[in-house]
């Protein structure tokens, strides 16, 4: 019974870790709800009225969610600075509430300063957010000079409650967050292996569903790897340790993605295209048979299940002989003589399992320290020696600071001007709708500019907020009717909705807006200002604010979606060319380069592009062809990035693996691919450029066969396969981007 209970708890822990990497959403929800509950408890003991309770609750929420720094010391400084900013903001709100023109003018200036403050990093963003939200709070509760002392006291209490929850009750150190993210990576890696096992056994009529699960698992694993990279600097003791973890995470991600591709190829009648793993909705390739047959198929299923167990148990501290036996068997597939008799495609799957087991071993050593080696087989000992040599070779490097834009070209300055203009329009229009609740239009205009950078992104965000608001109003009507005059029942439901709001925020902006609006319906009930007309007005003000934001973004210093995506596409192509050229240069015998950093920059650039294309691929976009093109281009770039990352990872093996030798011929063979990437980048930057993409003989044929030169070995064969597929993907990328493709003359 105890063993079964432990197994259930372990599965539950893995599910939670995989669904919320680092428990960031859970932590944010618990902190915010805890700070609000503590503030309400103290204020109620002091006999505060409902207006003060609402003000304290909102201030506690702002003080908690505004802080975004990762280090606890920096969080404490920002929180301490945030209190005087909040007191000044609520005081000005109380004084200026009754002065229509001056108050509105100050609100616009405050909005400009709050957005402009983002240029000063997380602290500037937090202080600007606190200043704006607290001024809004003063309008919401109708602050006056007479009530100002009590409001300031509630503010101070709210900030103290937030500090107590952040630093004592629900602490989250960078080291602890990184540890939980590592557990999430293991859990998502195990989920991907499970999806790959289902892909192996899926019948023909369920292949598309199984393939979609593999795609989703691959994307979720990559998402976690990116989150870990973002936390490495703060969560590890030194740069060398950070680079070691980064390398092992990258190895595991590449090995898992390659295993999925090999499985798909083994099931297919022909070689599977890497693009199939990255393009949503792409059909599964035609199958060679119902599944991998007979005894070899049974062995393959057993070993995939063993790899799944190895991944999960790698983080559990289990060092028993069962785990060692599984590990040794899987690592043995890295040696040719241990491969079972099967087709070449199926043997590649066994090799992929062996490489995945090696990646899991490296991950465990990097994260958990040295392991018991008493049960090692020669194959396992060799893998350990390779990993130790790689670890010793890892060293830190310096990154160049990106070039900063100035003036109105700076994104924060441009956004500040746009928001100020949009808010001015929202104030005028909002007061025409309601002289008392016009500020809802301003709030919506402010929010649609948060974390957006183009007109299309603002339009989509405004649509999502309006949709969530409409459904939230319906929920607010129902909840207000159920709660009636029961004050503490309403506050309890407010806490539940706030937790749901923070927990769902990274997943769905529409869902978050739904919870916010439903919560506001309860707050109106508490303030005795609830009516159906008020909630309908909320929808009207939201629509007006979103429209004002879109108009300001479209007319004032506009950044068109096409322009932004083209800029980001050019950055991705530049990073792709850098990674490919550096990796091939090192594989050709050139000097070592900072390949890990270059690959990380490529991944980040691609993530930025993926986010920027959301307006193009959103279901409401009427241009269906454009939607398919954007999705196809991003999938091709993800395919290119996978092959480039794999080339970089293989290149980093050269200094430490005597069995891997540099091949000078690779540089010339890959030159065409790099030139094609640069050509596409030129054409993206200037559509009138006359650049053309070249095709020609295969990359392998470009190596030549000089007398006395030995034929390339298995490692170089792998490099060539990735170069071939990268070359194919780059040529495929040229067509949807309108770049001419020509074959060389002669």
């Amino acid at each position: 019974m105890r063993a079964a209970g432990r197994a259930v708890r372990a599965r539950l822990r893995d599910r939670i870790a995989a669904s919320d990497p680092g428990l960031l959403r859970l932590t944010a929800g618990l902190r915010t709800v805890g700070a609000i509950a503590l503030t309400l408890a103290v204020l109620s003991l002091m006999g505060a009225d409902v207006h003060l309770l609402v003000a304290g609750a909102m201030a506690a929420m702002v003080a908690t969610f505004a802080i975004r720094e990762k280090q606890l010391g920096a969080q404490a400084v920002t929180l301490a600075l945030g209190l005087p900013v909040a007191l000044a903001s609520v005081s000005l709100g109380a004084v200026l509430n009754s002065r229509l023109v001056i108050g509105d003018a100050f609100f616009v200036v405050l909005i400009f300063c709050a957005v402009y403050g983002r240029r000063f990093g997380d602290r500037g963003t937090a202080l600007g957010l606190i200043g704006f939200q607290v001024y809004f709070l003063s309008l919401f509760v109708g602050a006056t000079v007479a009530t100002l002392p009590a409001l300031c006291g509630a503010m101070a209490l709210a900030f103290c409650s937030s500090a107590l929850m952040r630093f004592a009750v629900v602490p989250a150190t960078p080291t602890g967050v990184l540890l939980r993210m590592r557990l999430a990576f293991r859990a998502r890696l195990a989920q991907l292996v499970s999806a790959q096992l289902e892909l192996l056994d899926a019948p023909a009529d369920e292949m598309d569903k199984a393939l979609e699960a593999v795609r989703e698992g691959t994307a979720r694993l990559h998402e976690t790897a990116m989150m870990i990279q973002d936390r490495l600097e703060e969560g590890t003791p030194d740069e060398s340790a950070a680079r070691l973890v980064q390398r092992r995470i990258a190895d595991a991600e590449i090995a898992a993605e390659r295993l999925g591709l090999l499985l798909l190829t083994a099931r297919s009648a022909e070689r599977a295209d890497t693009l199939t793993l990255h393009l949503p909705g792409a059909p599964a390739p035609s199958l060679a048979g119902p599944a991998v047959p007979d005894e070899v198929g049974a062995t393959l299923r057993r070993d995939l299940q063993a790899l799944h167990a190895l991944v999960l148990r790698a983080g559990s501290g289990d060092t028993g002989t069962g785990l060692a036996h599984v590990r040794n068997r899987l690592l043995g597939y890295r040696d040719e003589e241990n491969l079972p008799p099967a087709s070449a495609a199926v043997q590649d799957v066994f090799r992929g399992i062996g490489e995945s087991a090696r990646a899991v071993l490296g991950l465990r050593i990097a994260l958990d320290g040295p392991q018991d080696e008493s049960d090692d087989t020669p194959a396992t000992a060799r893998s350990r020696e390779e990993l130790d040599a790689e670890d010793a070779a890892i060293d830190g490097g310096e990154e160049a600071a990106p070039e900063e834009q100035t003036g109105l070209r700076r994104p924060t300055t441009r956004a500040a001007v746009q928001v100020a203009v949009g808010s001015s329009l929202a104030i005028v229009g909002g007061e025409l709708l309601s002289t008392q609740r016009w500020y809802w239009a301003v709030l919506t205009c402010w929010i649609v500019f948060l974390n957006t950078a183009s007109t299309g992104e603002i339009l989509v965000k405004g649509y999502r907020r309006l949709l969530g608001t409409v459904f939230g109003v319906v929920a607010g009507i129902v909840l207000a009717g159920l709660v009636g005059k029961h004050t503490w029942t309403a506050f309890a439901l407010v806490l539940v909705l706030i937790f749901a709001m923070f927990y769902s925020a990274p997943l769905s902006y529409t869902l978050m807006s739904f919870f916010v609006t439903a919560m506001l319906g309860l707050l109106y009930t508490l303030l005795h200002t609830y009516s159906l007309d008020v909630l309908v007005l909320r929808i009207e003000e939201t629509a007006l604010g979103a429209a004002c934001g879109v108009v300001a973004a479209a007319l004032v210093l506009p950044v068109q979606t096409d322009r932004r995506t083209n800029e980001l596409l050019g950055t991705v192509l530049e990073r792709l060319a850098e990674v490919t050229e550096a990796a091939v240069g090192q594989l050709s015998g050139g000097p070592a380069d900072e390949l890990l950093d270059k690959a990380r920059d490529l991944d980040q650039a691609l993530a930025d592009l993926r986010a920027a294309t959301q307006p193009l691929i959103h279901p409401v976009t009427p241009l269906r062809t454009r939607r398919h093109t954007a999705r196809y281009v991003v999938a091709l770039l993800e395919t290119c990035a996978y092959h480039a990352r794999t080339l970089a990872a293989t290149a980093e093996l050269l200094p430490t693996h005597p069995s891997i030798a540099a091949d000078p011929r690779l540089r010339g063979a890959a030159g065409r691919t790099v030139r094609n990437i640069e050509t596409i980048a030129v054409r993206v930057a200037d559509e009138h450029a006359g650049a053309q993409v070249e095709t020609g003989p295969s990359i392998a044929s470009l190596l030549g066969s000089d007398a006395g030169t030995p034929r390339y070995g298995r490692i170089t064969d792998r490099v060539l396969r990735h170069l071939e597929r990268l070359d194919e993907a780059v040529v495929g990328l040229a067509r949807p981007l309108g770049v001419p493709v020509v074959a060389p003359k002669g």
Side-chain angles (χ1 to χ4, degrees):
M1 291 293 292
R2 290 182 179 178
R6 284 196 300 269
V8 171
R9 287 194 297 271
R11 285 195 296 271
L12 180 61
R13 180 198 64 191
D14 292 336
R15 285 182 179 273
I16 294 174
S19 64
D20 182 13
L23 301 183
L24 298 180
R25 291 185 285 125
L26 180 63
T27 300
L30 290 177
R31 276 179 176 172
T32 307
V33 169
I36 294 173
L38 182 59
T39 303
L40 291 176
V42 175
L43 287 175
S44 64
L45 291 175
M46 297 170 62
D49 63 13
V50 173
H51 285 74
L52 273 184
L53 291 175
V54 171
M58 294 180 68
M61 181 172 66
V62 173
T64 305
F65 79 74
I67 312 299
R68 286 292 181 267
E69 285 126 327
K70 299 181 180 70
Q71 296 288 357
L72 294 180
Q75 294 174 13
V77 171
T78 303
L79 195 59
L81 293 174
L83 179 57
V85 170
L87 295 178
S89 185
V90 74
S91 300
L92 287 168
V95 171
L96 299 176
N97 273 350
S98 59
R99 294 170 172 82
L100 183 62
V101 177
I102 297 177
D104 291 350
F106 174 77
F107 200 11
V108 173
V109 172
L110 174 63
I111 289 169
F112 176 89
C113 294
V115 177
Y116 186 78
R118 298 179 199 172
R119 66 167 296 194
F120 301 107
D122 289 338
R123 181 163 297 156
T125 301
L127 296 179
L129 190 58
I130 290 171
F132 171 83
Q133 293 285 3
V134 171
Y135 193 89
F136 170 83
L137 183 157
S138 70
L139 298 174
F140 183 76
V141 299
T144 62
V145 175
T147 60
L148 190 56
L151 279 174
C152 289
M155 294 282 163
L157 174 61
F159 273 75
C160 290
S161 299
S162 177
L164 183 63
M165 294 301 299
R166 178 178 295 275
F167 301 116
V169 182
V170 191
T173 63
T175 303
V177 171
L178 182 59
L179 175 61
R180 292 193 290 271
M181 284 186 176
R182 285 157 31 182
L183 294 175
F185 184 85
R186 282 167 165 158
R188 287 190 168 182
L189 179 57
Q191 289 178 346
L192 177 55
V193 174
S194 293
Q196 291 169 346
L197 182 58
E198 292 178 5
L199 180 68
L200 175 67
D201 289 327
D205 58 344
E206 295 184 10
M207 270 294 287
D208 287 335
K209 180 180 178 181
L211 180 56
E212 190 59 39
V214 172
R215 284 195 198 105
E216 182 181 351
T218 302
R220 284 163 58 86
L221 186 67
H222 182 65
E223 175 192 31
T224 313
M226 292 291 293
M227 293 174 69
I228 289 175
Q229 287 183 358
D230 188 50
R231 298 272 176 169
L232 281 175
E233 184 176 346
E234 293 84 7
T236 49
D238 53 53
E239 188 174 357
S240 179
R243 290 177 65 79
L244 175 60
V245 174
Q246 179 186 4
R247 171 61 188 273
R248 295 303 166 222
I249 291 290
D251 285 347
E253 182 190 357
I254 290 170
E257 189 167 354
R258 181 169 179 267
L259 179 58
L261 183 63
L262 294 174
L263 276 166
L264 190 60
T265 300
R267 289 293 314 270
S268 306
E270 55 186 4
R271 188 193 75 179
D273 191 340
T274 316
L275 178 64
T276 308
L277 283 183
H278 299 110
L279 181 61
S286 56
L287 302 184
V292 179
D294 305 330
E295 295 183 3
V296 174
T299 302
L300 190 53
R301 293 182 195 91
R302 180 201 65 182
D303 289 334
L304 282 171
Q305 291 169 349
L307 178 62
H308 179 269
L310 188 66
V311 170
L312 288 179
R313 294 169 67 187
S316 64
D318 186 350
T319 57
T321 56
L323 180 64
H325 175 73
V326 168
R327 180 194 62 212
N328 292 340
R329 187 179 76 245
L330 300 187
L331 288 172
Y333 291 135
R334 300 185 67 219
D335 295 329
E336 296 292 319
E337 60 270 16
N338 293 328
L339 295 174
S343 66
V346 174
Q347 284 191 333
D348 278 342
V349 176
F350 282 102
R351 292 190 186 98
I353 291 175
E355 293 299 329
S356 297
R358 178 191 184 275
V360 172
L361 175 63
L363 192 62
R364 182 173 186 180
I365 293 173
L367 300 182
D368 302 332
Q371 310 296 315
D372 183 13
E373 304 177 13
S374 59
D375 295 321
D376 282 0
T377 60
T380 303
R382 178 167 64 85
S383 295
R384 286 189 191 277
E385 291 170 0
E386 293 171 358
L387 292 168
D388 290 342
E390 292 170 21
D391 295 350
I394 291 178
D395 194 10
E398 296 184 359
E399 297 182 17
E403 181 181 355
E404 184 177 356
Q405 294 178 321
T406 58
L408 291 176
R409 293 190 305 160
R410 181 183 286 121
T412 50
T413 305
R414 181 176 59 245
V417 173
Q418 289 176 325
V419 177
V421 172
S423 298
S424 300
L425 296 175
I427 288 174
V428 174
E431 288 186 341
L432 291 176
L433 286 176
S434 171
T435 57
Q436 293 183 321
R437 295 184 175 83
W438 53 268
Y439 43 78
W440 286 121
V442 181
L443 179 67
T444 299
C445 182
W446 156 278
I447 288 177
V448 297
F449 275 93
L450 292 177
N451 300 318
T452 54
S454 70
T455 305
E457 291 179 67
I458 292 169
L459 179 61
V460 170
K461 191 170 185 180
Y463 160 79
R464 288 171 173 166
R465 184 166 184 85
L466 181 59
L467 186 64
T469 299
V470 170
F471 287 106
V473 163
V474 176
I477 293 172
V478 174
L479 290 175
L482 292 175
V483 170
K485 298 181 179 180
H486 298 86
T487 300
W488 291 109
T489 302
F491 270 122
L493 283 175
V494 165
L495 292 178
V496 172
L497 291 171
I498 288 175
F499 178 84
M501 176 182 70
F502 279 91
Y503 197 79
S504 64
L507 302 178
S508 170
Y509 185 72
T510 301
L511 196 59
M512 186 198 75
S513 300
F514 166 81
F515 289 124
V516 169
T517 305
M519 175 195 70
L520 289 173
L522 291 174
L523 291 181
Y524 281 134
T525 303
L526 290 170
L527 294 173
H528 307 296
T529 56
Y530 167 79
S531 70
L532 181 59
D533 291 339
V534 167
L535 293 181
V536 172
L537 179 63
R538 163 84 172 139
I539 296 176
E540 295 172 344
E541 296 279 3
T542 298
L544 175 65
C548 291
V550 172
V551 169
L555 300 181
V556 182
L557 305 173
V559 177
Q560 301 299 330
T561 303
D562 286 347
R563 174 182 146 197
R564 172 153 175 83
T565 53
N566 282 345
E567 289 176 353
L568 294 174
L569 175 57
T571 302
V572 172
L573 292 169
E574 180 183 341
R575 300 287 184 269
L576 178 62
E578 289 175 356
V579 173
T580 304
E581 190 170 24
V584 171
Q586 193 163 322
L587 287 165
S588 302
D593 206 338
E594 299 297 337
L595 295 178
L596 284 177
D597 293 336
K598 291 181 184 298
R600 180 181 61 185
D601 292 342
L602 170 61
D603 285 338
Q604 186 57 58
L606 186 52
D608 293 341
L609 176 63
R610 193 183 301 111
T613 58
Q614 289 304 306
L616 301 178
I617 64 176
H618 194 274
V620 300
T621 302
L623 304 176
R624 182 169 299 180
T625 301
R626 191 183 185 194
R627 184 194 313 166
H628 292 328
T629 300
R631 186 179 289 118
Y632 183 68
V633 167
V634 171
L636 275 171
L637 288 170
E638 289 176 342
T639 298
C640 292
Y642 161 68
H643 293 300
R645 282 196 304 269
T646 307
L647 288 171
T650 306
E652 290 223 331
L653 299 177
L654 280 176
T656 57
H657 286 249
S659 61
I660 306 174
D663 192 331
R665 298 171 293 176
L666 288 172
R667 188 188 301 274
R672 183 182 70 200
T673 304
V674 175
R675 288 194 303 272
N676 283 342
I677 297 172
E678 294 170 345
T679 296
I680 297 174
V682 170
R683 184 60 179 262
V684 168
D686 180 9
E687 63 180 7
H688 301 295
Q692 295 178 327
V693 166
E694 298 179 3
T695 61
S698 67
I699 298 294
S701 68
L702 294 177
L703 287 184
S705 55
D706 299 335
T709 302
R711 174 177 167 78
Y712 38 84
R714 187 167 64 85
I715 293 297
T716 307
D717 275 342
R718 180 184 301 178
V719 170
L720 287 175
R721 284 198 298 271
H722 287 292
L723 280 174
E724 285 276 9
R725 296 193 180 189
L726 177 59
D727 188 66
E728 294 168 0
V730 170
V731 173
L733 186 63
R735 294 187 174 93
L737 294 176
V739 183
V741 179
V742 297
K745 296 181 180 180

